[in-house]
Amino acid sequence: MKTVIKTTNLSKVYKDSVVPVHALKNVNLEFSQGEFTAIVGPSGSGKTTFLNIIGGLDKPTDGHVIIDGVDIATMKESQLFDFRLRHIGFVFQAYNLIPVLTALENVSFIMLLQKQSKQEMEKRARAMLEQVGLGDKINERPGRLSGGQQQRVAVARALASKPDFVLADEPTANLDTESAFNLLDIMARLNKEENITLIFSTHDQRVIERARRVITLVDGAVDKDEYFERA
Amino acid sequence: MKLIIIIAWRNIWRNRRRSIIMITAITVGLWGGLFAASFSHGLLEQRFETSIEQHISHMQIHHPDFIRDQAIEHQIHDWAEIYDMLSADGEIKAFSGRTILSGMLSSANLTRGVRIMGINPELEAQTTGISNHLVSGTYFAEEIANQILVGKKLAEKTKLQERSRLVLTFQDQDGELVSAAFRVAGIYQTANSVFDESHIFVLQSDLQSILDEQIIINEIALLAKDAEAIPQIRDTYQELFPANTFRTWNEIATELSYLIEMARVMITIILIIILLALGFGLVNTMLMSVFERTRELGMLLSVGMNKTRVFLMILFETAFLSLLGTLGGILLSVGFIYLTSKRGIDLASVGGDSMEAFGFSTVVYPSLSINLYFTLIILVIITAILTTIYPALKATRLSPAEAVRDQ
């Protein structure tokens, strides 16, 4: 299977505090096309730092992040903006939709920034909202949607532009159990149907078992990397 | 770009109350500024127009020494040639030559010092329109000798009425005192009560027979058809008649040109203060709005909306707020200035009488040149752009990874 992301000797040290914090230590991981991976570990174990670095939002102190054969650790900031726009989908803990845009416009947003054709874009956005079960809410603004519904819009937004992979940092942290399971089911289904690589971080035991691969980080280093057969 | 504009437009209505307060502040600020500007502009324009029309005219000609010492012997000797030239000149609208004497006016009750203006009634009427400013009586009737026009203020102080008799005393060219009896033909009133109190009009021909002299002309005032052409007309005539001094209105009434210049500076200062206040208000509003949206801006930066687009979004938001406020301010001002310019603002009840002493009318008709509106719009746009820089830079300098997790 094609490798989408490869990290070699990835390290991150935060030097702004009195004692330097080693958030990541020599992380070597590979993610293949279509994988559905959970990054787990206690708080401070480096989950978010890892996602930020492979998402091009933060730079490693050392090591490489190879995406599609390109080392993004050496990219300039302006190049990273474009790289993120074209290759990576993001889902955030606090949904982070644009409150002044409707669900449909929110899902179309990334495609609009990518300057896709209007017709294709709208068709795709509608289809994605159908996929996440919000076909009847396309003209609602986020303020009128529940937390679970907002996060489903966010997932639809992240996947609509067909990125190489989607990063979700604690996507269920603000959701109740039912919404959390529902969201993970949708993510798992889309991962299969769209064959998009999905990586999410969580410390939520409820949703870990939805993932087919679980990587456990402890103190910035990979502790366990396990594969599971899921239905 | 369209997307950014749509988001920016909708964003300003997220905090409806704050936006409306900001827009109202801009509207009211500009209205205040524009109204102050239109008021002083109107006041000075009237002062300028009445001064030019009723007193100074566009240009005056004197013997060079007359300006320093207004004695009868400092006269324009070649006035006849100048008259001929002026009559034939297509650029000249009207002119009037005057005999000017300092003298005493004695009525039955009081004696006062006055400036006696010996005029040709026809020429004077065309130049200063004094014939239109009579509040009682008649302009000079041809067949009667020794008529006099006195100002309303002087008439009040000396208890003179129409047909009252009075005696004028003045020096002739040899320094001898000459007295003559006159009868009030009419009482005039201009916008400048100081002028009214000190100037009286008599016929040049009457003075001529009293003084037993040729016609004496100490001053020629003239109006041009186009006020802009005045400096050039002055230069032409000065060259042709070097024995006399030709002065334009702003050289004569230096205090008037000074006032106009000062008013222009004041208006500019007022507008700058308003724009500064507006600018700080906008910076404050936009900073608040940026800080409130840290997480959202972090998301935008994360998903690949580059800094230029984020900057433009904030710029459009500021621009929408300030342009709406400006539009409101201008519409309100135009309406208000239009209304007051028709009716005028009467200052008599708030002590405006004293204004008359300085030659200002008590009723002010605000007016504003269209140029100022355009200048203002451009200044507001510049202010908006300048005030955007700080909040927008704050927004673009956010670290997407941190901003997105902001609590």
Side-chain angles (χ1 to χ4, degrees):
Chain A
M1 203 123 38
K2 185 185 158 202
T3 301
V4 183
I5 309 167
K6 183 180 180 191
T7 70
T8 48
N9 299 325
L10 204 58
S11 297
K12 178 73 183 177
V13 185
Y14 289 106
K15 288 173 182 159
D16 21 322
S17 52
V18 185
V19 185
V21 177
H22 292 265
L24 287 180
K25 297 170 194 161
N26 284 322
V27 176
N28 294 292
L29 285 168
E30 276 185 39
F31 298 89
S32 304
Q33 175 83 43
E35 270 187 353
F36 187 26
T37 310
I39 312 272
V40 302
S43 341
S45 58
K47 306 187 291 288
T48 298
T49 306
F50 179 70
L51 288 188
N52 282 345
I53 289 173
I54 62 172
L57 296 173
D58 204 350
K59 296 243 174 189
T61 314
D62 217 346
H64 304 278
V65 181
I66 313 292
I67 295 170
D68 249 357
V70 184
D71 186 357
I72 66 162
T74 59
M75 269 190 189
K76 280 194 221 135
E77 205 189 356
S78 54
Q79 293 174 303
L80 276 175
F81 273 102
D82 199 54
F83 189 85
R84 292 199 296 266
L85 177 63
R86 311 219 167 260
H87 298 273
I88 312 174
F90 290 91
V91 177
F92 306 97
Q93 179 179 337
Y95 331 135
N96 289 346
L97 299 175
I98 302 169
V100 295
L101 298 183
T102 63
L104 188 70
E105 288 166 332
N106 263 294
V107 175
S108 311
F109 182 71
I110 313 268
M111 294 184 281
L112 269 164
L113 290 180
Q114 290 175 341
K115 300 198 170 99
Q116 293 197 13
S117 90
K118 202 178 165 193
Q119 249 180 337
E120 220 172 284
M121 178 171 67
E122 199 176 307
K123 206 171 126 196
R124 171 80 177 156
R126 275 175 195 278
M128 284 311 298
L129 281 168
E130 295 280 351
Q131 291 262 37
V132 299
L134 292 172
D136 55 338
K137 305 273 188 208
I138 58 169
N139 291 319
E140 298 286 356
R141 289 198 184 179
R144 297 176 62 89
L145 299 175
S146 71
Q149 288 172 331
Q150 287 190 54
Q151 197 62 305
R152 273 142 64 193
V153 175
V155 168
R157 174 179 68 187
L159 275 82
S161 58
K162 298 188 176 161
D164 293 348
F165 59 95
V166 171
L167 299 176
D169 191 11
E170 303 267 8
T172 59
N174 292 7
L175 301 181
D176 60 62
T177 307
E178 197 191 332
S179 303
F181 282 138
N182 185 267
L183 186 82
L184 261 294
D185 287 342
I186 289 171
M187 285 170 68
R189 180 161 49 79
L190 288 173
N191 159 259
K192 249 186 188 167
E193 286 174 12
E194 304 263 329
N195 196 30
I196 288 176
T197 313
L198 257 163
I199 304 169
F200 69 99
S201 72
T202 187
H203 57 261
D204 185 348
Q205 280 300 323
R206 303 170 301 180
V207 297
I208 291 171
E209 53 205 45
R210 292 289 200 279
R212 280 181 285 273
R213 179 182 177 189
V214 177
I215 297 169
T216 310
L217 291 181
V218 175
D219 293 335
V222 179
D223 184 51
K224 278 186 276 183
D225 187 356
E226 305 155 289
Y227 288 81
F228 301 93
E229 283 299 317
R230 309 278 192 214
Chain B
M1 190 67 124
K2 197 177 144 207
L3 174 73
I4 309 283
I5 293 172
I6 291 172
I7 294 179
W9 174 255
R10 292 188 190 167
N11 274 342
I12 66 169
W13 299 112
R14 277 161 76 169
N15 196 327
R16 206 172 276 266
R17 183 163 46 174
R18 186 171 64 202
S19 294
I20 287 173
I21 288 174
M22 190 63 223
I23 291 168
T24 312
I26 298 172
T27 298
V28 172
L30 288 183
W31 170 61
L34 284 174
F35 185 67
S38 74
F39 187 84
S40 76
H41 186 260
L43 190 72
L44 284 172
E45 198 169 65
Q46 278 165 254
R47 170 77 160 84
F48 174 68
E49 277 170 10
T50 49
S51 286
I52 296 292
E53 278 173 16
Q54 301 178 355
H55 310 300
I56 300 170
S57 305
H58 286 144
M59 193 164 102
Q60 289 182 3
I61 310 163
H62 298 102
H63 185 276
D65 291 335
F66 183 84
I67 296 157
R68 179 179 45 80
D69 172 20
Q70 302 191 353
I72 188 167
E73 63 266 28
H74 298 139
Q75 43 186 288
I76 302 167
H77 296 288
D78 45 0
W79 64 268
E81 287 91 333
I82 299 177
Y83 267 35
D84 288 344
M85 276 286 290
L86 292 173
S87 313
D89 193 336
E91 288 192 83
I92 306 299
K93 192 172 149 198
F95 65 91
S96 174
R98 298 155 185 161
T99 311
I100 299 181
L101 300 165
S102 293
M104 298 289 282
L105 176 149
S106 313
S107 70
N109 303 304
L110 277 162
T111 299
R112 288 185 83 92
V114 289
R115 177 159 304 166
I116 303 160
M117 312 282 277
I119 56 166
N120 172 325
E122 222 171 285
L123 292 179
E124 190 64 34
Q126 287 166 8
T127 310
T128 57
I130 191 74
S131 54
N132 298 325
H133 294 109
L134 294 185
V135 288
S136 70
T138 50
Y139 200 54
F140 299 100
E142 263 175 44
E143 60 279 11
I144 308 164
N146 287 11
Q147 306 166 74
I148 185 168
L149 293 182
V150 296
K152 193 178 170 217
K153 192 95 178 183
L154 181 68
E156 281 166 9
K157 294 223 165 155
T158 51
K159 302 200 172 70
L160 283 169
Q161 289 173 335
E162 204 189 323
R163 304 202 51 76
S164 298
R165 281 174 59 87
L166 58 89
V167 172
L168 289 181
T169 309
F170 47 86
Q171 284 182 317
D172 68 9
Q173 269 188 298
D174 303 323
E176 297 291 327
L177 280 178
V178 183
S179 289
F182 285 80
R183 191 182 287 277
V184 175
I187 294 170
Y188 72 88
Q189 184 182 22
T190 68
N192 186 341
S193 60
V194 173
F195 181 90
D196 296 357
E197 197 180 338
S198 54
H199 289 69
I200 56 154
F201 292 91
V202 297
L203 290 179
Q204 228 157 50
S205 50
D206 290 339
L207 288 179
Q208 191 190 346
S209 49
I210 295 163
L211 291 167
D212 204 12
E213 289 261 3
Q214 295 292 309
I215 288 178
I216 296 167
I217 300 292
N218 303 105
E219 174 176 284
I220 301 171
L222 66 87
L223 284 178
K225 282 180 178 149
D226 175 15
E228 305 281 323
I230 283 297
Q232 178 245 318
I233 294 174
R234 193 262 314 269
D235 293 347
T236 313
Y237 276 82
Q238 185 68 72
E239 210 164 295
L240 287 169
F241 303 98
N244 303 296
T245 302
F246 292 73
R247 291 185 302 161
T248 61
W249 67 268
N250 50 353
E251 291 165 333
I252 301 160
T254 42
E255 87 286 353
L256 192 61
S257 28
Y258 176 67
L259 260 180
I260 289 172
E261 192 47 43
M262 200 173 79
R264 200 169 291 152
V265 173
M266 287 300 290
I267 289 173
T268 315
I269 291 173
I270 290 174
L271 287 178
I272 286 174
I273 291 172
I274 289 173
L275 286 174
L276 269 180
L278 182 160
F280 280 108
L282 271 175
V283 168
N284 182 42
T285 303
M286 293 317 294
L287 267 184
M288 278 206 298
S289 129
V290 164
F291 286 139
E292 274 171 12
R293 284 185 288 168
T294 304
R295 221 163 51 192
E296 188 181 321
L297 292 166
M299 178 277 289
L300 293 174
L301 292 165
S302 296
V303 301
M305 182 153 143
N306 60 34
K307 294 186 173 189
T308 314
R309 282 169 163 157
V310 171
F311 190 95
L312 281 176
M313 182 178 83
I314 311 274
L315 176 68
F316 279 120
E317 289 173 17
T318 323
F320 284 140
L321 280 180
S322 47
L323 286 179
L324 280 175
T326 309
L327 196 68
I330 285 179
L331 285 179
L332 191 64
S333 305
V334 166
F336 201 77
I337 292 169
Y338 177 79
L339 278 182
T340 51
S341 71
K342 294 282 163 215
R343 289 167 158 215
I345 298 172
D346 193 351
L347 298 173
S349 55
V350 287
D353 284 343
S354 56
M355 303 270 287
E356 275 194 333
F358 298 102
F360 290 99
S361 167
T362 48
V363 180
V364 177
Y365 298 91
S367 70
L368 211 53
S369 71
I370 201 97
N371 281 344
L372 195 75
Y373 291 113
F374 285 115
T375 314
L376 193 72
I377 293 176
I378 291 165
L379 284 177
V380 168
I381 292 172
I382 293 172
T383 310
I385 291 172
L386 288 179
T387 52
T388 301
I389 292 174
Y390 182 58
L393 280 183
K394 278 262 173 213
T396 55
R397 284 197 185 140
L398 290 169
S399 143
E402 280 167 35
V404 90
R405 297 174 74 82
D406 182 74
Q407 296 304 307

